Amino acid sequence: MSDLRTHADERRPLDRNWLQVQRRHLRMWRRFFAQAIVRETHYRAHFLTTLLVGLVQLGLGTVPILLLFGYTDDVRGWSRAEVIALVGMYQIATGLLATFVAPNLNRMTSYITEGELDGVLLRPVSSQFYLTLRWINVAELSNVASGIVVLVVGLVQADAGPSAVEILQALVLAAAGLVLLVCVWSAMSFLAFWLQSVRAIGFIFVNLVEAGRYPLVFFPTAVRAFLTFAFPVAFATTFPVQALAGGIGWGPVAGGVGLALVAVVLVRLFWRHGIRSYASASS
């Protein structure tokens, strides 16, 4: 087999027009999604099991909040209703990650160590796109739906009436936060190019995301900085809820978008570096 390090991302694109390339990737992703729905219809029990597990996890995440606010009405400026809304936002973020990202990045070790990456590199498509978004777990969208319900309930209890601008800020912050988390998880998974397995690293990521259940101000200053810049889960959970609960300003929104753009570029460069160091497992 020829040297796969000169792969599709570096020999191509076949289409010179950038928009055509993006449309081709979008059409491919829609096929992935359609295939995922078909698979889910064949395993309906999986959907129900995922829903039940998600509801149990949501309940377990809410219990500590109820216990904490059983002794006080306010913790560092956050009411019980606002923290409940945060739990809902956390459920939405983790549900989206579990739907579109986890099924792929959890396979990264086998892709690289068992030679599956070889076939991907020969496809006329971005290998990073394919390996990051190929598999979709549709059942996890049930957790996104339950998270939306909890978020709305929390906001109603908090008497929050976000304006259109505040909703826009929250959406942009949540999107930036998800992009940042995907980039961090991807970078951790791409270490498989040099390590025998990154499954343990995936467990570390999942455990760190748990911090997103709680407002950023609940943590010491050093931890806040870590959860904002090094492991930016705050952009996916705390900041969007703050925007919905009363406005957060455009500064954090611009900061989140800027960090997301930088993270995308850095992860892309890291992926290319990993590909250049990749030796085909089947050669």
Side-chain angles (χ1 to χ4, degrees), residues 23-226:
R23 291 194 189 102
R24 178 155 53 88
H25 283 77
L26 180 59
R27 288 195 300 270
M28 179 175 291
W29 185 85
R30 286 202 296 260
R31 288 198 295 270
F32 293 161
F33 192 76
Q35 291 170 1
I37 293 176
V38 172
R39 284 195 303 271
E40 201 62 44
T41 59
H42 293 146
Y43 301 97
R44 298 177 185 177
H46 176 251
F47 180 87
L48 294 176
T49 301
T50 302
L51 175 61
L52 291 175
V53 171
L55 291 175
V56 170
Q57 292 176 336
L58 183 60
L60 293 175
T62 306
V63 168
I65 304 303
L66 299 178
L67 292 175
L68 175 62
F69 283 93
Y71 299 95
T72 181
D73 295 327
D74 181 277
V75 178
R76 296 198 173 187
W78 283 73
S79 67
R80 182 180 69 174
E82 290 171 340
V83 178
I84 289 176
L86 178 60
V87 172
M89 181 62 71
Y90 169 84
Q91 185 83 349
I92 295 170
T94 54
L96 289 172
L97 290 174
T99 301
F100 300 107
V101 182
N104 300 283
L105 295 184
N106 287 335
R107 298 170 185 251
M108 195 60 63
T109 295
S110 61
Y111 272 129
I112 295 175
T113 61
E114 298 177 12
E116 296 180 49
L117 178 58
D118 298 354
V120 176
L121 293 178
L122 298 175
R123 295 175 179 270
V125 65
S126 166
S127 54
Q128 183 183 358
F129 167 85
Y130 189 93
L131 266 64
T132 305
L133 298 173
R134 168 63 182 91
W135 298 101
I136 301 171
N137 188 353
V138 177
E140 290 288 350
L141 289 176
S142 62
N143 293 324
V144 177
S146 62
I148 292 173
V149 172
V150 174
L151 172 63
V152 172
V153 169
L155 292 175
V156 171
Q157 291 182 352
D159 293 325
S163 64
V165 171
E166 292 167 346
I167 293 174
L168 176 62
Q169 290 175 338
L171 290 174
V172 174
L173 282 165
L178 286 171
V179 170
L180 286 166
L181 289 177
V182 171
C183 287
V184 171
W185 198 355
S186 296
M188 296 169 71
S189 298
F190 296 165
L191 291 174
F193 283 113
W194 300 276
L195 304 177
Q196 184 175 6
S197 174
V198 292
R199 291 188 176 92
I201 295 177
F203 292 137
I204 293 174
F205 176 89
V206 171
N207 288 327
L208 286 174
V209 169
E210 291 283 339
R213 292 183 185 272
Y214 307 100
L216 193 62
V217 295
F218 282 19
F219 300 96
T221 302
V223 179
R224 293 181 208 173
F226 175 79

